Amino acid sequence: MRRSRAFIPTTKEAPSDATLPSHQFLVRGGFINQQGSGLYNYMPLGKIVLEKIKNIVKEELDKAGCNEVQLSFVTPIALWEKSGRAETMGKEMLRIKDRNEAEFVLSPTNEEAMVALVKNRVNSYKDLPLNLYQINTKFRDEARPRYGLLRGREFLMKDAYSFHASLEDMKREFDMMEATYKKIFTRLGVDFRVVEADSGAIGGTGSKEFHVLADSGEDTIVICNTCEYGANIEKIFESEEEIDALNEKSYEELSLKNIEEKCTCGGTLSFKKGIEVGHIFQLGDTYSSALDAKFNDENGKPQAFHMATFGIGISRLVASVIEQNHDENGCIWTKETAPYTVNIMVSNIKDEAQMALGEKLYTELQEKNIEVILDDRKERFGFKMKDAELIGFPYTVIIGKELVNGSVQVYDRKTTEKTSVSVDAILTHIMDLL
Ligand code: ATP
Ligand code: MG
């Protein structure tokens, strides 16, 4: 991409309600813009990051034997009446009427619809297990939409639903998906923890959350410093007041405190703040029974499917990466999430030698399938540099005054260090970095 042709409207102004770095930098960096309360548009850079995250999730799920589908986002209310959630979901579920006064819902989740899809299409234990997923828009009319993409009303979720002939098989899938999620979050380059969680309104017998560790996280979790154990405080504290009080405390206030109890491994337990980016549930047969969705077991006897569900907040992840990786000047994308890996900045586009080298390197990197952007704008060096920092490209090759001495500089966004490299060695140097 040539920056002169790109739609990347960066600004100095952050929205007045943007208190968190991810919200400020994603808007200022021209990734997203607010359409309405809890509603966001993705501009080209935001769209690229979103697609990258989607692709990693898709690749790992496909490898794990899941099938991708896409359900209609608008669902008839009748579906929600069958499970009782037309009543229990309350105001978070947005209802609309069509021209014939028929009532519909903007899907906040899709258990009912997915069970209805499988019902009468999967009839035998021989067709099980089955895991279906989609990466699709959700709508929840949140009481307090805030923090940009972290808590939107319209957002992108990966939701998967698995169907099993036995409880044991459902648990096997649950463990396998936990391992798959670990691979996904590791590939995304985020520092995360798996914690035991409350099953909440959805019910069921077991649930785990995946949290990106970040001081600004809305959730408080307890983690062991020795083993992998972790739990959401919602799981380990009984009283609502105690939970609310801890959630309201900032990370600084909490981190001073280790909790009195020791981990079963003997390790020290301490509080951390986390952003919930994934949630896996053992559902049981709540929804399959409610919708009378059955398969014939080995003895030809009809049985309700055992189910599990698996969610990932795709759009929330875009913001979570930045909540965890930023400095005062802007975003610091991880390798797998960066919108472009290399930014070639031509300091003075009127200088023919600078421009020629920029073009040459741009072509060479493209030929090597490196995601590269050429900053060929007629702007001051300082302006372009601030822009590069705000957006957070992992590497910027600065082609400037040093070119007369045969060298350019490579700026590393994470370390903020600049290294001089000779023009002859620049391509190899970049390839070694990646
Ligand atoms: P939270 O407790 O943060 O409200 P939840 O427990 O209601 O989330 P789930 O029903 O488990 O959410 O949804 C699966 C995933 O979808 C969550 O783990 C989260 O990453 C994402 N998600 C949920 N609500 C939102 C939202 N309003 N905006 C963006 N992502 C969301
Ligand atoms: Mg949840």
Side-chain angles (χ1 to χ4, degrees), residues 99-116:
R99 61 173 77 203
N100 300 315
E101 293 290 303
E103 209 176 324
F104 294 87
V105 164
L106 297 187
S107 298
T109 174
N110 277 130
E111 281 78 9
E112 289 85 348
M114 209 60 96
V115 171

Side-chain angles (χ1 to χ4, degrees), residues 209 276 278-279 281:
E209 289 171 352
E276 183 195 320
H279 198 166
F281 296 98

Side-chain angles (χ1 to χ4, degrees), residues 77-92:
I77 190 77
L79 208 50
W80 302 87
E81 280 163 352
K82 284 186 186 134
S83 67
R85 285 209 285 189
E87 289 283 321
T88 55
M89 288 290 257
K91 287 198 163 169
E92 217 164 277

Side-chain angles (χ1 to χ4, degrees), residues 157-209:
M157 193 203 284
K158 183 285 291 179
D159 45 329
Y161 306 81
S162 66
F163 299 84
H164 307 273
S166 69
L167 193 65
E168 296 69 50
D169 193 56
M170 185 263 274
K171 289 190 169 158
R172 174 206 51 75
E173 185 84 4
F174 184 84
D175 293 342
M176 191 271 286
M177 288 303 282
E178 176 178 344
T180 303
Y181 272 37
K182 284 183 182 167
K183 281 188 205 155
I184 291 171
F185 296 120
T186 303
R187 272 187 71 183
L188 289 172
V190 289
D191 186 12
F192 69 97
R193 288 296 287 242
V194 189
V195 304
E196 291 183 10
D198 208 19
S199 301
I202 219 148
T205 47
S207 124
K208 287 187 179 177
E209 289 171 352

Side-chain angles (χ1 to χ4, degrees), residues 92 108-109 140 142 149-158 202 209-210 218-219 234 276-279 281 311-316:
E92 217 164 277
T109 174
R140 294 183 184 178
E142 298 270 357
L149 297 181
L150 290 175
R151 188 169 295 285
R153 292 200 296 169
E154 181 181 312
F155 58 97
L156 196 67
M157 193 203 284
K158 183 285 291 179
I202 219 148
E209 289 171 352
F210 293 73
E218 278 192 279
D219 285 36
E234 289 170 8
E276 183 195 320
V277 290
H279 198 166
F281 296 98
I312 292 184
I314 304 283
S315 49
R316 182 178 282 185

Side-chain angles (χ1 to χ4, degrees), residues 121-161:
R121 289 190 181 85
V122 175
N123 295 312
S124 161
Y125 72 94
K126 289 181 220 151
D127 303 328
L128 298 171
L130 181 66
N131 193 329
L132 303 180
Y133 78 95
Q134 62 176 344
I135 298 176
N136 210 348
T137 300
K138 298 284 177 290
F139 194 94
R140 294 183 184 178
D141 201 357
E142 298 270 357
R144 291 175 70 196
R146 55 188 169 159
Y147 307 142
L149 297 181
L150 290 175
R151 188 169 295 285
R153 292 200 296 169
E154 181 181 312
F155 58 97
L156 196 67
M157 193 203 284
K158 183 285 291 179
D159 45 329
Y161 306 81

